[in-house]
Amino acid sequence: MSLSNQTRHWQALDAAHHVHPFSDTAALNKEGVRVITRADGVYLWDSEGKKIIDGMSGLWCVQVGYGNPELAEAGYEALKTLPYYNHFFKTSNPYTIELAAKLATLLPAGHRHVLFANSGSEANDSALKLIRYYWNLKGRPEKKIHLSRDYAYHGVTMAAASLSGLTPMHPQWDLPLPGFEKVPTPYWYGAKDAGYGNIDADAFGLLIAGKLEEKIRELGADHVASFSAEPIQGAGGLIFPPATYWHEVQRICARYDVLLHVDEVITGFGRTGEWFGSHTYRIAPDIMAMAKGLSSGYQPISAISLGERMADTLLNANEELVHGYTYSGHPVACAVALKNLEVIEKQKLVPRVKTEIGPYLQRRLRETFADHPIVGEVRGVGLLTAIELVRDRKERRFFPDPGNIGTLCRNYCFNDGLICRAIRDTMVLAPPLIVSEAEVEEIVTKLKSAVDKTAKELKKA
Ligand code: PXG
């Protein structure tokens, strides 16, 4: 296919000067990037005029869809009125104040205080610092180990990457840092492949939660500061915990006095059909991180909220909290985030995900792939869904060399104008919360066609 001069020009400049995240630079430069030039609703357009339906909300973040004029206007208004000021010099501003107060009305019970940062990684990094400070203030400085799970994704700073359990994230940087330990994930579909046999999901949830207890006892509860987890694991393969899991995890954290740090970066802001995954799974976090959907990705902003126990201690320390970023609570980002929350409420997107469009997407995927020879499972909550591509659906066996088949299928999706994510051989969808039924049909049709082509390719091999 011949590309326009404009596209080739941009590709050449990108290759010459721009280093991409999570990419093999040399391979990408050889292939040439796709240049995205505009977006509206659930659609993107590239520099060749190709229209693409975005089944991933960018990177799981564009809750209200692209091109929302209210968010754009809120940002422009703030840019004109107060493009920047900080909170270091006994100062604040209306946008930041109102966003913090609004969040306090939406967060899980007891969470009335927030700190702002600019990304999910920073929010988690900050959360770990606050956890360490909490135990220092409590006179228990030996409680320092941070537990988290295999397949977790918590970001890329030194601490957030250490906390992450996706092992390819570590060797290039000599991570994890000391003091970070992992426990298994409640990935029921993979249980058989991982050697747990034919265990039922609820029993598996308890068993895996029990591994957390074992780990705490092995390390000594006196040394364990916190357990960090996403309510539903996102980038690790969309892993939904069995119904028994979270209750048991909370019992264990309470019993051993381990702080519960919940990472809501993907699960926040209506994605699950509630404001937060913590509502969906009845989790009471001690500290919570949020980003992405907070501004629908229109501005880089994240937040950390404190539960009562941490707030009482940290906010009454009677000394300076030696932490903060130049852009903490940036007025423009806060103005856009505040408007984003207003739009989510006005358009009733959270109940829509819970009772209308979420169940619709789940049902259509289940109907479409019920008997498909290479689809082992369709799973989902709200507008988070995954289908497992497998070698043997009856025996729940994966393909050898996980990732090859998923990538093949994802490439068929891309070529047909659908963005979806392949994590190993799990195909993941997380469309904007405004997606219509007709657009869901388009996504499902394109995904079905890609899975069919993948199956056909496999037959040939
Ligand atoms: N926590 C969770 C649960 C995330 O999903 C982060 C923290 C880090 O956020 P920042 O804003 O620092 O990127 C994330 C980010 C993918 C993908 O391909 C997922 C994320 C980021 C990039 C790619 O699924 N999640």
Side-chain angles (χ1 to χ4, degrees):
M1 194 177 65
S2 69
L3 299 173
S4 67
N5 286 342
Q6 176 69 79
T7 298
R8 280 193 282 110
H9 176 65
W10 277 330
Q11 285 181 332
L13 288 182
D14 191 83
H17 303 295
H18 179 211
V19 180
H20 285 244
F22 283 87
S23 305
D24 173 340
T25 303
L28 180 63
N29 289 347
K30 213 161 124 204
E31 188 183 331
V33 293
R34 187 202 289 260
V35 183
I36 303 296
T37 49
R38 71 186 177 93
D40 190 34
V42 300
Y43 292 99
L44 304 162
W45 282 265
D46 71 15
S47 55
E48 295 295 296
K50 184 169 166 125
K51 186 179 176 186
I52 305 153
I53 190 160
D54 185 2
M56 276 308 295
S57 308
L59 279 176
W60 327 71
C61 56
V62 187
Q63 317 299 73
V64 301
Y66 299 98
N68 184 296
E70 290 186 79
L71 270 63
E73 278 152 26
Y76 182 51
E77 218 24 69
L79 277 168
K80 284 190 299 184
T81 311
L82 185 70
Y84 175 75
Y85 205 66
N86 66 73
H87 304 83
F88 284 54
F89 305 146
K90 302 183 183 176
T91 46
S92 198
N93 72 70
Y95 306 110
T96 313
I97 294 166
E98 287 184 22
L99 179 60
K102 179 70 199 173
L103 281 170
T105 68
L106 303 173
L107 290 165
H111 284 238
R112 286 185 290 274
H113 295 90
V114 296
L115 295 82
F116 289 108
N118 312 289
S119 67
S121 301
E122 283 181 2
N124 284 322
D125 200 284
S126 301
L128 295 191
K129 286 177 77 178
L130 294 167
I131 287 165
R132 294 167 91 84
Y133 183 34
Y134 172 87
W135 288 121
N136 289 343
L137 285 170
K138 284 288 183 193
R140 303 192 63 187
E142 71 288 354
K143 268 174 103 65
K144 280 287 176 319
I145 298 173
H146 301 292
L147 297 179
S148 57
R149 301 182 293 182
D150 297 334
Y151 293 133
Y153 188 85
H154 296 295
V156 295
T157 62
M158 295 285 276
S162 295
L163 203 58
S164 296
L166 289 160
T167 47
M169 293 176 69
H170 295 147
Q172 287 175 349
W173 330 100
D174 303 319
L175 296 176
L177 296 169
F180 288 82
E181 297 278 343
K182 300 290 171 293
V183 296
T185 172
Y187 180 27
W188 176 77
Y189 194 79
K192 196 163 177 187
D193 232 61
Y196 291 101
N198 247 336
I199 187 164
D200 89 89
D202 282 351
F204 186 65
L206 292 176
L207 182 101
I208 294 299
K211 302 277 179 195
L212 171 64
E213 184 158 22
E214 273 171 36
K215 191 68 166 183
I216 294 170
R217 292 170 77 106
E218 174 196 319
L219 296 165
D222 285 347
H223 298 285
V224 179
S226 58
F227 174 58
S228 303
E230 305 148 76
I232 297 160
Q233 282 181 291
L238 215 47
I239 299 172
F240 299 92
T244 49
Y245 178 77
W246 270 110
H247 184 268
E248 183 64 2
V249 161
Q250 293 185 91
R251 184 194 67 75
I252 293 163
C253 287
R255 172 160 185 205
Y256 297 96
D257 209 8
V258 167
L259 291 172
L260 179 57
H261 161 217
V262 174
D263 181 344
E264 293 264 10
V265 169
I266 283 180
T267 46
F269 305 101
R271 182 53 66 193
T272 66
E274 304 282 352
W275 273 97
F276 293 97
S278 288
H279 295 124
T280 309
Y281 290 96
R282 295 198 167 79
I283 305 168
D286 289 306
I287 186 165
M288 212 170 93
M290 64 209 92
K292 296 190 190 276
L294 169 57
S295 67
S296 281
Y298 281 48
Q299 286 286 296
I301 181 170
S302 64
I304 305 98
S305 70
L306 302 174
E308 265 165 15
R309 172 181 179 186
M310 287 192 70
D312 286 349
T313 301
L314 299 184
L315 309 181
N316 294 301
N318 297 315
E319 61 177 8
E320 181 182 336
L321 179 79
V322 190
H323 179 76
Y325 305 97
T326 301
Y327 301 130
S328 299
H330 191 288
V332 178
C334 287
V336 172
L338 189 60
K339 184 59 75 178
N340 174 59
L341 300 181
E342 209 180 291
V343 168
I344 291 176
E345 279 189 328
K346 207 166 56 183
Q347 298 189 9
K348 300 187 171 56
L349 294 181
V350 182
R352 177 173 192 269
V353 171
K354 184 171 184 162
T355 60
E356 293 167 33
I357 200 68
Y360 185 80
L361 173 65
Q362 308 291 344
R363 177 168 64 76
R364 290 295 297 120
L365 284 173
R366 285 191 169 86
E367 286 167 3
T368 305
F369 293 106
D371 302 314
H372 201 286
I374 64 164
V375 174
E377 183 186 53
V378 178
R379 58 177 182 264
V381 169
L383 279 180
L384 279 173
T385 54
I387 69 169
E388 290 276 3
L389 303 183
V390 293
R391 177 165 60 93
D392 184 338
R393 55 201 300 267
K394 273 206 192 74
E395 288 298 315
R396 253 164 66 202
R397 292 290 177 203
F398 297 127
F399 289 107
D401 301 325
N404 291 343
I405 305 302
T407 305
L408 180 68
C409 182
R410 189 206 54 197
N411 291 344
Y412 281 128
C413 291
F414 277 19
N415 290 339
D416 198 20
L418 165 67
I419 297 210
C420 79
R421 189 85 169 68
I423 301 172
R424 298 179 297 281
D425 297 327
T426 309
M427 308 308 295
V428 170
L429 289 170
L433 313 191
I434 52 139
V435 69
S436 70
E437 288 189 3
E439 288 156 351
V440 164
E441 287 306 322
E442 184 180 341
I443 290 171
V444 172
T445 304
K446 285 184 192 280
L447 182 60
K448 169 77 164 53
S449 152
V451 175
D452 286 346
K453 284 181 197 154
T454 306
K456 211 163 148 193
E457 184 79 25
L458 274 166
K459 256 202 185 135
K460 270 196 264 164

